[in-house]
Amino acid sequence: MFESVINLVEATINALNGMLWGSVLIYVLVAAGVLFTLGLGFIQFRMFGHGVKLVLQGREKTNGISSFQVFCTSMAARVGTGNMAGVAVAITVGGAGAVFWMWLIALLGMATAFIESTLAQVYKESDSEGQFRGGPAYYMEKGLGKRWMGILFSVLLIIAFGFAFNAAQANTMTDALNNAFGFDKTVVGLIIVVVAAYIITGGLRKVAKASELIVPVMAVVYLAIALVVLLMNIEQVPAAIGYIVKSAFGWEEAAGGAMGAMMAGVARGLFSNEAGMGSAANIAASASPNPNHPASQGFVQMIGVFVDTIVICTATAAIIVLTGVLDNPAGQEGIGLLQLALSNEMGSWSAYFIAFAILLFCFSSIIANYSYAENNVMFLSKNKMVLYIFRALVLAMVMAGSVASLQLVWNFADVSMGLMALVNITAIVMLSKIAFAVIKDYQQQVKAGKVPTFDANAFPQIKGLQQGVWSGEGADLVESDIEYEAQAER
């Protein structure tokens, strides 16, 4: 009887996953990306360089969490095994053409990330410790006057990011270390729990500081390996790019065909960069932005989507496509295909490198996922005891994930994340006029050669803002050294 119930639940979850990730979400998120790209006048292309400058400038000292720390924390959650195993699966299922559609959806998603992160900044609030908090749940309550919508979003995010994804990340880490070095999963799990506990009990500030240290290291090391592979196969690059484009449109016979390539690439791109999911917006709200304007954090998160998909996912695709492993995959797919490609090209030691990369990618995801969930726990209840209980449950799920395969939990997390995205997209479309007005204000100040600042009083249509948050209190920022000039608008 119990087994029948489990089978029914699993079948239902799988059906929902197929519907959400196989069609509904793809159409909704692509449509949103097109809407926001047009509404913002292709800002992700016009002001890309400006966004990069803001990310670099974000390291400057602030009284709270810096923009660069927020950038690293959001990248910690975005960049995980999906950037390795997920890309490999997309190419296995949809052929090399999946990479082209991954690029396209990322370019559209940059505009969506801009909108949701700007709104998260607009409606943020300061807690009793002077820490900024915000995100979709907050702009649903304050901007739309729909607390029930914020509660629904928070519950879905806590299930997906707080519990299920963290269990799955821990499981991936222990598997990788067990396979590469024979380490006992229970011992590894206990070590992960202890280190994670040290970081997450320090709250968002400690998570941000840890991410600032881990993310640049893991990104540079992984990209360095990909660059070596590229240089070793430099003469194959033009042919590989041509093959990717031809496969994307069905001009080259490949696994999945044109439609398979499109579906696999779009789904993987959306899942990887999280644009429109509302997840990264949670940490975006915690920044003390520099310059002190909501749109500046929109630029930072826009660049985050670019780095995740156009840079890191492309690095994985380059390793697989350039090494020719697709012609003789030896029955491998997913992370195994990537390991095979690196082993063929660089020797058996690369298996240890992949284990190291997974260790960094997954651990950084655990602490970043926790920060997203903590933000929503505090939205539901300001009681500190609730937060302590939540932290204990997160650590328990990390331990459970370390020693057991939790495929049903992972599938349930996918459903929660899909529903979360639908709720968030609905909210940001409804609030898009406010986001457009705020972003336009930023661009006008840049065009006038000013350092942008946000005057909430100039936007009577924005209701529900916490007093003091946008009047200079709680954010003592260093003066920007970026040259704001009319050319930046062009």
Side-chain angles (χ1 to χ4, degrees), residues 233-290:
N233 298 273
I234 192 68
E235 72 282 356
Q236 303 295 328
V237 171
I241 294 174
Y243 179 61
I244 287 172
V245 174
K246 290 177 182 178
S247 298
F249 295 96
W251 300 333
E252 184 87 29
E253 187 174 347
M259 186 56 67
M262 181 185 297
M263 298 297 282
V266 170
R268 174 45 47 200
L270 292 172
F271 194 89
S272 177
N273 62 53
E274 300 179 18
M277 301 293 176
S279 48
N282 286 275
I283 195 66
S286 68
S288 296
N290 190 10

Side-chain angles (χ1 to χ4, degrees), residues 78-90:
R78 284 189 176 110
V79 179
T81 54
N83 293 73
M84 296 185 290
V87 173
V89 168

Side-chain angles (χ1 to χ4, degrees), residues 109 196 360 367 404 421 474:
L360 286 182
I367 61 174

Side-chain angles (χ1 to χ4, degrees), residues 442-452 482-487:
Y442 182 96
Q443 293 182 86
Q444 287 176 338
Q445 292 187 58
V446 169
K447 192 172 183 178
K450 300 177 181 177
V451 176
I482 283 185
E483 183 180 357
Y484 290 90
E485 51 189 18
Q487 285 84 347

Side-chain angles (χ1 to χ4, degrees), residues 41-89:
F42 297 88
I43 197 170
Q44 64 266 53
F45 306 109
R46 289 189 297 107
M47 301 186 72
F48 179 83
H50 185 76
V52 173
K53 288 180 181 179
L54 290 185
V55 172
L56 298 177
Q57 175 183 293
R59 298 194 70 128
E60 293 178 358
K61 182 66 178 174
T62 72
N63 260 356
I65 298 176
S66 71
S67 290
F68 186 74
Q69 288 176 327
V70 165
F71 173 79
C72 288
T73 305
S74 64
M75 289 305 298
R78 284 189 176 110
V79 179
T81 54
N83 293 73
M84 296 185 290
V87 173
V89 168

Side-chain angles (χ1 to χ4, degrees), residues 124-143:
K124 69 184 179 182
E125 61 181 44
S126 181
D127 65 17
S128 59
E129 298 176 356
Q131 170 63 58
F132 288 133
R133 295 187 181 275
Y138 293 78
Y139 55 66
M140 289 168 191
E141 178 183 38
K142 295 171 178 288

